[in-house]
Amino acid sequence: DSHISVAKLFEAHPDCAQIDIGKTREVGQFPWDQKLVPQSDECDVSNADRLNDPDVDDPRPRRGVELQCTFEEQIQIPAGSSRWFEVPVGTTLFHFTKFPFPASSFTAKVNADGDVTQGWGRSPDVADVRG
């Protein structure tokens, strides 16, 4: 299976600071609960727009998360269709959502003859999010 380390994307960035989970504080839905100020992990994004704007003349390198890829595929053997590393620039490779899906939304469906009628991760619920 191909995979990406979500923890490396969201939890190991050098501009992010994590706090102990016991010190986190949520924001309450109602102001009378007096839970108005959150306490949570933070990432410094104060310069992100300026540093990632191609029109800004800034000699500093662009910011982002550095990832190292390992090919699980045999890249020297041609495939019948484009693989993830062969698609055109700008192609969406994956989606994230903050809304959880039940496992049944990802499970493949197979009919009585053993034919796959719905591929893994291809339920209507997932398709709605993917657009």
Side-chain angles (χ1 to χ4, degrees):
D1 289 333
S2 296
H3 58 276
I4 189 166
S5 172
V6 174
K8 190 168 186 176
L9 284 173
F10 296 133
E11 298 175 3
H13 194 279
D15 289 340
C16 296
Q18 295 182 349
I19 66 164
D20 183 79
I21 194 164
K23 295 180 181 179
T24 60
R25 286 192 314 258
E26 76 277 11
V27 174
Q29 181 177 359
F30 305 107
W32 52 82
D33 290 334
Q34 301 297 311
K35 294 182 177 182
L36 303 175
V37 180
Q39 178 70 33
S40 65
D41 299 344
E42 293 182 349
C43 293
D44 179 10
V45 294
S46 60
N47 294 318
D49 290 339
R50 184 179 59 76
L51 291 175
N52 288 317
D53 186 343
D55 296 327
V56 173
D57 185 23
D58 192 325
R60 292 179 287 178
R62 302 293 188 229
R63 300 179 72 134
V65 177
E66 180 180 329
L67 298 174
Q68 295 183 11
C69 297
T70 301
F71 293 103
E72 294 175 344
E73 299 85 357
Q74 294 184 11
I75 62 174
Q76 66 277 16
I77 299 173
S81 59
S82 294
R83 296 172 283 196
W84 67 270
F85 53 87
E86 298 171 324
V87 297
V89 172
T91 301
T92 301
L93 297 177
F94 53 88
H95 300 268
F96 282 105
T97 178
K98 63 182 179 179
F99 303 107
F101 285 97
S104 60
S105 292
F106 291 95
T107 306
K109 306 274 190 268
V110 180
N111 66 18
D113 296 327
D115 299 322
V116 176
T117 58
Q118 176 180 292
W120 184 90
R122 302 291 183 212
S123 72
D125 294 337
V126 174
D128 287 345
V129 171
R130 293 177 63 208

